[in-house]
Amino acid sequence: MAVVTIQIGQCGNQIGRQLFSTIHNDITAKQTAVSSSQNDDYTSASLQRFFRRETDMHMPEARAVMVDMEHKVVTRMMSEANKEGMWKYGKGQQYFKNSGSGNNWAHGYLVHGPEAQESVLELVRREAEACDRLGGFLCLMSLAGGTGSGLGAFITGCLREHFAHAHIINQVVAPYGDGEVIVQDYNTVLTLSRLHRDSDAVIVAENEELHKVCATRLAHKHVAFSHMNSVLAHQLGALLQPAATCGRACTLSDMLEALVSHPDYKLLSMMHVPQVSNASLSFSTSTWPSLLTRLQRMHEMHSVADEGFSWAAPSRNRSVCNLLVARGKDSSSLDCLPLTDRRSYVSWMPASCTLSLWSHPRHYAGLERSALLLSNSASVASLLDRVVDKAWGMFSSRAYLHQYARFGLGEDDFVNSFAVLEQIVHNYKNL
Amino acid sequence: MGGGTGSGLGTFVLRLLQEEFPEVHNRFVTAVFPSAADDVVTSPYNSILALRQLTECAEAVIPVENQALQEICDKISRATTAGGEKNSNPIKDGSAISDNHHNTGSKRSEKPFDRMNNVVANLLLNMTSSARFEGSLNIDLNEIAMNLVPFPRMHYLIPGMAPLYSLSVVASQPRRLDEMFNDVFSRRHQLIRADPKQGLYLSCALLVRGKVQLSDIRRNIYRIKPSLKFVHWNSEGWKTGLCSVPPTGQPYSLLSLANNTCIKDTFADLVVRFNRLYSRKAHLHHFMAIDGMEISDFEESVECAKSFISEYTALESQYFQPACTSIPRLRVAEGNMMLS
């Protein structure tokens, strides 16, 4: 199974570069604690999944398409990959212009989108055809800016139209609540309303949460975007690297079957333990019970960071269903009891479908045992509620609407997008 | 704005650009507003007539006032002479924003407006730095216009700059970074004579250059925010830009572009000066002698300015009564959506 990654905008491209580096580092890791044949199976499956020319171990090409409205970031990511010298981006798999989208969703969706459609689809087709078996598409983008959000939403729609049977997963990044871009809430509402229609699953990461992980658990004094991107890439790697369930290899189909069984509930959140800085790596060991208990607590407290919450306060986060990916010794036989409390799942989900377990005995990224929880639950509701609230406040004052109108996005479009989001928030709040 | 060519031909060219290149949306104008003691007698007429064009045809206007520039240059020269005389901390050579970095070596004769023009040149350099150099948070002109202009006519962005100069002895500059953030919101560092702290912010951009961490910027925004008044629907109305290359002669710098209601005082001032002349019909015949100029142009322009001022005033009054302007959110009824 192969995954084609489409990196859109500054955020998407930066995360993509980190993701491929993380995966390649995992592939070439020495301490894996499995037999060499098991290791070979894993590494060749992983190479096949993310890179081309798996026979050439020395310089594989990422299965990626890079899209941006200005060239600086794409060029920089390519040269960073080349400097690392372990893998590279395919020549010609890039699309960029010189104009930028000016943080304007309408500019990205209604103007750049149609212009870029032919070329980007051609690049995607090239990657898709180079796959023996296409597992699906992974789109990386932010919600705040103009290119990632607007052009990203448009490309997702194009993929849905042209690859009707392919699985499409979007990894989106929500900006800091107190602002990076003034119109970020508009852009978020507009993007999510489209993705909810066109994508199969949307994994929502928040800069604020990633920042907390870096600042508290990883002890970075000055948290920069590169640290946060690295955390997110680490989580995505833990999700997408080869794993098995019930004796057979896991695919994106399995993921969607496990998590997105109802079309009204497509938004996912990701949590990963253990969270240790590189310096403490060799000193930390965890048992499965302790890891799972921590995950369960983080999940209930809606916290991506494994810190800063009270153990005494009871809380109940309602989930539709969850996926647990465990990597390390005895991961296939671990006891998922902490996460299987029937009361924390919705009543209409049969008990056998509430929690799925994927596992692999090999160490991931130097961690003896690690666990990832990909959750379809009410965690996303509070973020969306906040965003819709602020966006609606701006909308009722008619602020910035002329900027969107000049590219063809009218008030009706806004109202429709708000309606979709309100429905999503309502659905999740009433789980 | 005060002269004839700049205000007249300049705004004509602006209109021409709007008509000939409609797809190029961003027309940024740096407009120099005349001071009260301007030597051009008819500057109030020229300014009000041009103001109307700017309001209609420009995307964003960065107003600059000669008086404010003069005060900044005076402040810098006081710091220079003070440093020299008392043998205390002198200014680092070439670090003042009024310096012409090109000619720090030779002593060529300085023309009268050189220092003030250099300040404005540095303003433009800082504004375009992200487009020319690398940084972790790039801003281009499109983004500035998009984020700072919520309503098409309210596009006056008040510039403030800090620091004005660097002192030579680095050790005696405690908390420079935080001071820089404080300064850029103070009255003395604005390039027009206005106090944004007294007015209401619609939005604000902070363009940082040099070795500054994102966490420092966020920390300072957090710190200063409570002392500033923002419109209720944009209480986090900050746009940040970080460019890694500092300006010549300084380790870092900060440019703030504020869409603030205090600009209405500048316009009100112009209207007063306009009326002083207009009520006597002074110098009007010179304008009327030109083909195509009607008395109605004067009437309309001053009315435009007055209504513009009242738009800003209306926004300010909204600040004290936010509830009236907000519509309740859409509610989901069982089965279908309904607008409440």
Side-chain angles (χ1 to χ4, degrees):
Chain A
M1 176 191 86
V3 174
V4 174
T5 303
I6 301 158
Q7 312 175 172
I8 308 158
Q10 176 165 20
C11 176
N13 277 292
Q14 285 176 183
I15 292 178
R17 209 273 302 156
Q18 282 277 23
L19 176 63
F20 285 109
S21 292
T22 306
I23 289 175
H24 200 271
N25 287 340
D26 183 42
I27 290 176
T28 52
K30 299 297 175 213
Q31 305 275 42
T32 60
V34 291
S35 70
S36 71
S37 72
Q38 263 186 315
N39 194 43
D40 287 340
D41 285 339
Y42 180 92
T43 53
S44 65
S46 174
L47 268 173
Q48 160 84 299
R49 186 170 291 191
F50 295 103
F51 297 93
R52 283 209 227 174
R53 306 211 197 118
E54 58 271 34
T55 49
D56 178 10
M57 274 260 339
H58 299 290
M59 197 50 99
E61 268 179 30
R63 295 193 196 269
V65 177
M66 305 166 84
V67 181
D68 202 355
M69 276 304 122
E70 50 119 25
H71 67 92
K72 283 201 294 264
V73 180
V74 168
T75 326
R76 179 122 183 255
M77 291 302 111
M78 290 180 76
S79 76
E80 276 181 19
N82 289 338
K83 232 191 280 173
E84 253 176 53
M86 305 293 286
W87 58 273
K88 62 178 188 200
Y89 279 107
K91 213 161 71 159
Q93 285 303 97
Q94 292 77 35
Y95 174 88
F96 50 81
K97 294 264 139 181
N98 261 321
S99 56
S101 300
N103 292 161
N104 191 325
W105 190 92
H107 201 177
Y109 192 86
L110 296 171
V111 177
H112 291 314
E115 267 172 24
Q117 187 173 354
E118 273 304 324
S119 317
V120 173
L121 274 178
E122 181 51 43
L123 296 180
V124 173
R125 243 175 244 130
R126 240 189 264 166
E127 284 297 339
E129 279 161 19
C131 303
D132 265 344
R133 233 190 74 205
L134 177 65
F137 297 108
L138 175 68
C139 294
L140 306 173
M141 51 204 257
S142 76
L143 292 173
T147 304
S149 65
L151 184 55
F154 186 85
I155 290 180
T156 307
C158 285
L159 290 178
R160 175 54 69 213
E161 203 188 312
H162 288 86
F163 297 89
H165 302 293
H167 298 306
I168 303 173
I169 297 181
N170 290 64
Q171 167 69 66
V172 299
V173 180
Y176 287 101
D178 54 10
E180 292 166 27
V181 171
I182 295 181
V183 291
Q184 63 191 40
D185 301 307
Y186 276 164
N187 292 342
T188 302
V189 168
L190 292 164
T191 308
L192 286 178
S193 63
R194 291 342 185 251
L195 291 187
H196 204 254
R197 178 189 65 201
D198 296 328
S199 173
D200 288 314
V202 181
I203 308 177
V204 183
E206 296 176 56
N207 269 349
E208 221 149 309
E209 292 292 316
L210 294 172
H211 183 115
K212 260 193 244 162
V213 173
C214 294
T216 58
R217 298 298 297 172
L218 305 182
H220 289 295
K221 268 217 225 108
H222 294 286
V223 177
F225 281 123
S226 57
H227 303 136
M228 289 154 53
N229 291 345
S230 161
V231 171
L232 183 55
H234 192 84
Q235 291 177 347
L236 276 175
L239 174 67
L240 297 170
Q241 283 290 59
T245 187
C246 311
R248 59 178 175 78
C250 302
T251 60
L252 288 185
S253 298
D254 293 313
M255 186 193 303
L256 294 174
E257 205 182 294
L259 286 169
V260 189
S261 39
H262 193 302
D264 281 348
Y265 301 93
K266 284 185 184 175
L267 302 180
L268 311 174
S269 30
M270 221 163 31
M271 286 161 203
H272 189 245
V273 284
Q275 294 168 1
V276 282
S277 59
N278 284 335
S280 338
L281 203 53
S282 43
F283 299 106
S284 78
T285 50
S286 334
T287 59
W288 286 122
S290 76
L291 284 178
L292 291 189
T293 319
R294 297 202 79 86
L295 262 186
Q296 183 230 6
R297 206 56 190 159
M298 283 156 66
H299 181 237
E300 284 187 358
M301 305 302 291
H302 311 281
S303 173
V304 175
D306 182 15
E307 186 153 312
F309 41 75
S310 145
W311 286 85
S315 178
R316 197 60 79 190
N317 184 7
R318 300 275 284 172
S319 307
V320 177
C321 39
N322 292 327
L323 169 64
L324 179 65
V325 184
R327 296 181 185 275
K329 192 162 170 223
D330 300 324
S331 49
S332 49
S333 53
L334 64 83
D335 180 8
C336 302
L337 196 57
L339 290 160
T340 53
D341 188 345
R342 190 72 189 83
R343 291 170 297 167
S344 60
Y345 291 95
V346 287
S347 50
W348 45 265
M349 183 60 74
S352 54
C353 305
T354 50
L355 179 70
S356 309
L357 172 66
W358 291 4
S359 62
H360 201 284
R362 187 183 188 271
H363 289 188
Y364 171 70
L367 296 166
E368 197 185 324
R369 290 186 186 90
S370 63
L372 176 98
L373 183 69
L374 187 57
S375 164
N376 190 342
S377 67
S379 296
V380 289
S382 54
L383 165 70
L384 290 189
D385 204 22
R386 268 197 324 267
V387 168
V388 173
D389 208 41
K390 282 197 266 181
W392 186 258
M394 259 195 211
F395 183 68
S396 33
S397 309
R398 297 281 174 286
Y400 299 103
L401 295 182
H402 71 285
Q403 305 271 17
Y404 292 91
R406 75 157 56 115
F407 293 107
L409 198 73
E411 290 193 17
D412 283 343
D413 293 302
F414 271 91
V415 174
N416 290 337
S417 304
F418 275 110
V420 172
L421 269 275
E422 292 283 9
Q423 184 71 62
I424 298 175
V425 172
H426 176 86
N427 291 341
Y428 275 104
K429 271 187 169 171
N430 291 339
L431 276 181
Chain B
M1 301 277 277
T5 310
S7 65
L9 184 56
T11 49
F12 181 80
V13 171
L14 183 64
R15 195 169 271 278
L16 205 60
L17 290 173
Q18 186 188 38
E19 283 162 18
E20 294 296 314
F21 301 95
E23 71 282 1
V24 179
H25 294 288
N26 288 308
R27 290 174 293 279
F28 272 71
V29 179
T30 318
V32 183
F33 281 63
S35 52
D38 201 73
D39 50 357
V40 174
V41 178
T42 52
S43 65
Y45 283 160
N46 293 333
S47 303
I48 291 285
L49 291 166
L51 188 67
R52 179 189 174 186
Q53 301 299 323
L54 285 186
T55 308
E56 285 171 17
C57 306
E59 277 310 304
V61 179
I62 321 259
V64 169
E65 257 185 294
N66 274 341
Q67 197 134 345
L69 292 176
Q70 186 66 60
E71 281 168 17
I72 288 177
C73 290
D74 287 342
K75 192 169 172 193
I76 296 176
S77 10
R78 272 200 305 276
T80 325
T81 48
E85 282 171 5
K86 299 182 191 167
N87 214 15
S88 56
N89 221 339
I91 298 192
K92 202 158 108 179
D93 220 10
S95 69
I97 58 174
S98 58
D99 277 344
N100 182 343
H101 304 295
H102 213 39
N103 281 321
T104 36
S106 60
K107 270 284 169 203
R108 94 193 154 115
S109 58
E110 212 181 65
K111 300 224 198 67
F113 283 97
D114 267 0
R115 301 195 137 239
M116 288 156 66
N117 290 344
N118 281 329
V119 175
V120 182
N122 275 307
L123 155 70
L124 293 174
L125 282 177
N126 288 347
M127 202 167 78
T128 55
S129 58
S130 241
R132 296 177 291 118
F133 298 117
E134 268 202 342
S136 49
L137 254 183
N138 294 332
I139 298 194
D140 59 18
L141 290 183
N142 279 328
E143 288 177 21
I144 293 177
M146 171 68 181
N147 284 287
L148 292 180
V149 184
F151 305 107
R153 280 155 56 91
M154 299 176 142
H155 55 236
Y156 290 84
L157 312 177
I158 301 170
M161 292 174 73
L164 299 178
Y165 49 78
S166 280
L167 297 178
S168 289
V169 180
V170 169
S172 66
Q173 299 183 64
R175 302 194 333 124
R176 276 185 349 232
L177 196 58
D178 288 14
E179 253 178 66
M180 180 173 81
F181 276 90
N182 285 339
D183 284 343
V184 91
F185 291 102
S186 81
R187 207 181 166 291
R188 292 280 131 87
H189 286 246
Q190 307 305 311
L191 273 63
I192 61 166
R193 278 174 318 125
D195 191 0
K197 282 196 167 158
Q198 299 299 322
L200 188 63
Y201 278 88
L202 279 80
S203 54
C204 185
L206 292 176
L207 286 82
V208 185
R209 291 183 71 172
K211 262 182 116 182
V212 183
Q213 302 278 3
L214 186 65
S215 46
D216 287 324
I217 303 178
R218 295 170 59 81
R219 179 174 51 82
N220 275 291
I221 291 182
Y222 239 46
R223 192 172 57 84
I224 296 177
K225 209 165 67 156
S227 60
L228 305 173
K229 297 199 278 259
F230 270 83
V231 280
H232 69 93
W233 45 261
N234 209 2
S235 53
E236 282 120 19
W238 297 94
K239 171 73 181 158
T240 334
L242 186 46
C243 173
S244 33
V245 178
T248 330
Q250 289 179 350
Y252 40 64
S253 77
L254 177 58
L255 165 68
S256 74
L257 290 172
N259 194 338
N260 189 305
T261 56
C262 67
I263 190 84
K264 72 179 203 297
D265 297 329
T266 314
F267 298 154
D269 208 36
L270 272 181
V271 171
V272 163
R273 285 192 254 154
F274 177 94
N275 282 329
R276 222 180 274 149
L277 290 178
Y278 192 64
S279 52
R280 307 292 166 108
K281 302 275 184 284
H283 303 282
L284 224 45
H285 58 283
H286 295 298
F287 288 81
M288 292 305 125
I290 309 287
D291 232 354
M293 192 73 194
E294 311 278 324
I295 202 80
S296 56
D297 291 321
F298 278 81
E299 295 289 325
E300 282 166 23
S301 298
V302 78
E303 276 318 304
C304 174
K306 283 191 194 153
S307 74
F308 197 39
I309 293 171
S310 57
E311 277 173 47
Y312 276 108
T313 319
L315 261 181
E316 277 184 345
S317 61
Q318 249 182 50
Y319 176 72
F320 299 103
Q321 293 162 358
C324 330
T325 51
S326 53
I327 313 171
R329 272 167 66 175
L330 302 174
R331 266 194 303 125
V332 177
E334 292 319 298
N336 51 335
M337 293 291 309
M338 64 187 211
L339 256 164
S340 54

